[in-house]
Amino acid sequence: MPAYRSHLSLLETAASHYASSPVFRIPLIDSTGAVSQWTSITYLQFLRDVERFARYWSRTLRSNGIPSKSVVGLWLGGMTYTDVLHIYGLARAGYVPQLFSLRLPNPDVVFELLQKGHAKALIYDAAFAPTLTDNSIPTFAAAADGQIPASSDPLPALLQPSSGTELAFIFHTSGSTSGSPKLVPCNYTWLNTIIDKACQVSQPANPGRQDVSTWMGSMCHIAQTFMLLGSIQHGSCTIQPTKIGFSSEELADMVRRCDLNRLHQFASFLGIHLRNSRLNPKLVALLQSMDQVVYSGLPLPRDEEEWAAKSGLQIRNLFGNTECGAMLLSVGGTGPYRQSLRPLEGVSYGFFPIASKSQNEAGHQSVNTNLVELVILSDSGDCPDVSLRHADGHFHTGDLFLEVQPGCYVSRGRDDDWIKSENSLRCDTKAIEDNVRTMCGDLISECIVVGNGRPSPALFVEPASADMDHTKLKKEILRKTRQFHARRYLHERITSPSFIIIVSPKTLPRTATKGNIRRKAVEEQFKPHLDKLYAATA
């Protein structure tokens, strides 16, 4: 075994141990849009396909003067087997993938990030060809699988890093800061710790049979990258659904035809199945048959998680972020602390108080004075790159918890102004609000952005004057903020007047002491309106 493992060394090992076992099940769609069959890709075929793509990219990039170990951008959907082959194949060719998903629509932002990552080239989804002009680095279309020919070219030796500080990947935060995501450089020390954690999370309940799980999200983000690392180590299979928010009917089909026994989903999408199952005993039984139901990205509503646990589902919450991968896993089972979170093994984390204990105005100590922040210590293998660390050398996640028993924690949100979208991607609400206040200060008296767990944010506005025409006000806000939103991820944009809600001055709920608008209270108070709004635009 090499001194430093990678996704590539894991694949080589798995292909020798599980050569004929399926690593992926891929849907074939018929003329009606239904899945006619789920085809199998074996571990050996996966390895051979990765090597075929590696020969292609090695020949293509080197012939364009791009040397081995260079950073090369990959702007892909990340939801297909071919996307995985481009990512793994590029790495097998000896390059460092810098990964972008299609949710970042502005080429200018992509090229700025490529420059920050010192990338020498960009491989892009062919759908973006018309938007790529005046490129500062060489660009190449990500060819379809059938367009990558077999080749007898010699395959480069599997890259062996000389130290754990060598770069393996570059990811990006899923939310924009100052108009652009942050780079998340990932070295081999980090990757080896991620591999160990993924092995724990994907441990089969029954070693005597092959685990089959669902594709969780884009391979250009950390969640599915992490889960695939775990699956490969155990010789497990991953099903590519027709879409990330697949229907309960498709879920049942994956169980029937693919032997699905582990459900991995973001909370927003899992919630669809949980709500459907309340009216469908067969769906309840199907979910009960899962060895494990793992959700991530967002917390489930308390009533849904309680219902799932009481209904006998083996449900677990996997808590993580882009910078560190998965960090905490809920206890599970049937005990009183089943929903509380514990750190995975082999890491070095701290849970530090965010403030000294104090009393509230009524003289009673608030439970929130016991809040602690999760901090990834500098000696933890998954501590992110030094560029992302605090002045004390550690990585402060900004995630807040209550310790409910020794070593067990319950999430209490974040200490910043981020919300998470339906796809569990982060959205900087404060940046949107600040831009509205800057550009529209003469039109509004106050505003707040909501949309936790929704596809995109919504803006609530209290106008500067009660008699302002609401339609004209919405159009003017959109006009003045258009340039700001043009640079943001799709899940962070407000580009339709439907998602600007005008309310009477001083009607949004506020805190009693400082008078700040309460984001969560706005979401709760206007939930029926928001439900109707998002349903109409789905």
Side-chain angles (χ1 to χ4, degrees):
M1 180 178 290
Y4 293 99
R5 294 165 295 164
S6 69
H7 50 308
L8 302 172
S9 64
L10 293 184
L11 174 56
E12 289 194 347
T13 300
S16 66
H17 291 165
Y18 314 107
S20 60
S21 297
V23 60
F24 293 110
R25 296 293 296 271
I26 310 299
L28 287 183
I29 310 299
D30 63 22
S31 58
T32 69
V35 179
S36 60
Q37 63 175 304
W38 301 87
T39 61
S40 293
I41 307 292
T42 67
Y43 271 88
L44 184 59
Q45 180 183 347
F46 182 28
L47 176 62
R48 296 291 177 254
D49 285 344
V50 167
E51 291 174 342
R52 174 165 55 92
F53 274 59
R55 289 185 172 95
Y56 174 82
W57 285 121
S58 177
R59 180 175 65 253
T60 301
L61 296 173
R62 283 174 173 76
S63 66
N64 282 272
I66 301 168
S68 177
K69 295 190 177 183
S70 297
V71 174
V72 174
L74 277 165
W75 193 9
L76 307 167
M79 292 301 301
T80 68
Y81 176 60
T82 302
D83 289 342
V84 180
L85 295 180
H86 282 299
I87 295 168
Y88 275 50
L90 179 67
R92 183 63 184 84
Y95 295 91
V96 178
Q98 181 177 355
L99 298 165
F100 304 89
S101 77
L102 300 188
R103 298 190 66 84
L104 189 58
N106 191 324
D108 293 341
V109 177
V110 171
F111 280 99
E112 287 173 12
L113 292 168
L114 288 168
Q115 184 178 22
K116 290 179 181 178
H118 305 291
K120 303 300 183 185
L122 171 66
I123 299 166
Y124 60 91
D125 189 287
F128 280 94
T131 69
L132 297 175
T133 58
D134 300 324
N135 301 327
S136 56
I137 56 175
T139 59
F140 307 90
D145 189 356
Q147 297 174 312
I148 305 289
S151 169
S152 58
D153 290 350
L155 191 68
L158 185 63
L159 183 65
Q160 296 295 328
S162 57
S163 76
T165 60
E166 281 195 28
L167 203 56
F169 287 104
I170 298 177
F171 288 99
H172 300 88
T173 54
S174 62
S176 303
T177 301
S178 302
S180 180
K182 290 188 297 185
L183 267 64
V184 182
C186 304
N187 63 31
Y188 279 88
T189 296
W190 178 93
L191 180 56
N192 274 251
T193 306
I194 294 295
I195 288 171
D196 287 338
K197 294 192 297 182
C199 185
Q200 298 173 48
V201 170
S202 296
Q203 184 72 39
N206 181 356
R209 69 169 181 176
Q210 185 189 37
D211 266 357
V212 181
S213 63
T214 46
W215 202 294
M216 194 172 198
S218 172
M219 280 291 296
C220 295
H221 298 292
I222 188 61
Q224 181 55 33
T225 297
F226 181 96
M227 299 309 291
L228 185 58
L229 289 172
S231 293
I232 289 175
Q233 291 180 79
H234 297 292
S236 301
C237 177
T238 302
I239 307 174
Q240 175 195 325
T242 57
K243 60 180 181 178
I244 197 63
F246 53 84
S247 67
S248 295
E249 290 75 19
E250 185 168 315
L251 172 61
D253 187 49
M254 289 190 282
V255 173
R256 179 171 60 87
R257 291 200 279 179
C258 304
D259 299 318
L260 176 72
N261 72 307
R262 291 176 68 107
L263 182 57
H264 298 160
Q265 282 198 290
F266 292 126
S268 302
F269 302 122
L270 175 60
I272 295 171
H273 305 308
L274 295 181
R275 289 187 290 274
N276 289 343
S277 66
R278 297 196 186 205
L279 304 172
N280 187 338
K282 290 184 178 180
L283 183 55
V284 176
L286 185 151
L287 292 170
Q288 290 169 337
S289 73
M290 296 287 131
D291 284 343
Q292 199 161 89
V293 177
V294 174
Y295 72 90
S296 190
L298 285 165
L300 275 174
R302 181 178 295 274
D303 63 325
E304 290 183 3
E305 185 162 24
E306 289 286 352
W307 182 88
K310 289 178 181 177
S311 299
L313 276 63
Q314 300 300 315
I315 191 164
R316 308 284 293 275
N317 178 9
L318 185 62
F319 188 97
N321 61 23
T322 299
E323 294 89 344
C324 309
M327 298 175 286
L328 314 173
L329 183 64
S330 63
V331 174
T334 59
Y337 298 105
R338 61 180 180 269
Q339 296 172 359
S340 61
L341 297 154
R342 291 185 298 203
L344 295 169
E345 297 176 5
V347 296
S348 180
Y349 296 167
F351 290 85
F352 300 140
I354 61 170
S356 59
K357 294 184 178 181
S358 61
Q359 292 186 328
N360 63 20
E361 294 173 357
H364 301 292
Q365 184 173 298
S366 168
V367 67
N368 288 331
T369 59
N370 296 317
L371 287 176
V372 293
E373 181 192 11
L374 169 59
V375 177
I376 313 303
L377 303 180
S378 59
D379 62 343
S380 194
D382 57 349
C383 191
D385 186 77
V386 293
S387 63
L388 299 168
R389 301 183 192 184
H390 194 270
D392 60 8
H394 308 308
F395 178 70
H396 291 248
T397 66
D399 295 303
L400 306 179
F401 298 86
L402 281 174
E403 188 172 21
V404 291
Q405 72 165 352
C408 291
Y409 301 87
V410 173
S411 174
R412 284 292 180 264
R414 294 185 55 79
D415 65 349
D416 53 21
D417 289 293
W418 295 85
I419 60 174
K420 283 194 174 182
S421 72
E422 182 183 58
N423 282 345
S424 299
L425 304 177
R426 294 168 62 192
C427 173
D428 187 354
T429 58
K430 188 175 185 297
I432 300 174
E433 292 158 4
D434 287 348
N435 178 253
V436 173
R437 293 186 184 105
T438 300
M439 303 303 296
C440 311
D442 58 332
L443 302 174
I444 72 166
S445 63
E446 193 50 275
C447 68
I448 193 162
V449 171
V450 302
N452 203 50
R454 308 283 190 172
S456 62
L459 174 70
F460 280 81
V461 170
E462 292 180 351
S465 173
D467 59 359
M468 295 181 75
D469 182 283
H470 289 188
T471 300
K472 290 182 179 179
L473 176 58
K474 291 182 179 185
K475 290 181 178 179
E476 192 65 3
I477 292 173
L478 283 178
R479 185 184 69 81
K480 288 175 174 282
T481 60
R482 184 175 293 116
Q483 184 175 358
F484 172 83
H485 285 281
R487 295 178 57 85
R488 302 180 69 80
Y489 280 97
L490 295 179
H491 72 279
E492 293 183 300
R493 290 179 166 193
I494 298 175
T495 57
S496 166
S498 299
F499 292 94
I500 300 176
I501 299 100
I502 311 298
V503 298
S504 301
K506 302 297 181 183
T507 58
L508 294 173
R510 287 165 162 80
T511 59
T513 51
K514 296 184 178 180
N516 296 328
I517 299 175
R518 298 161 54 213
R519 194 182 318 279
K520 187 175 181 180
V522 173
E523 294 210 359
E524 291 172 350
Q525 179 176 324
F526 292 91
K527 184 177 185 298
H529 180 92
L530 292 168
D531 287 346
K532 186 180 298 185
L533 169 63
Y534 286 102
T537 56

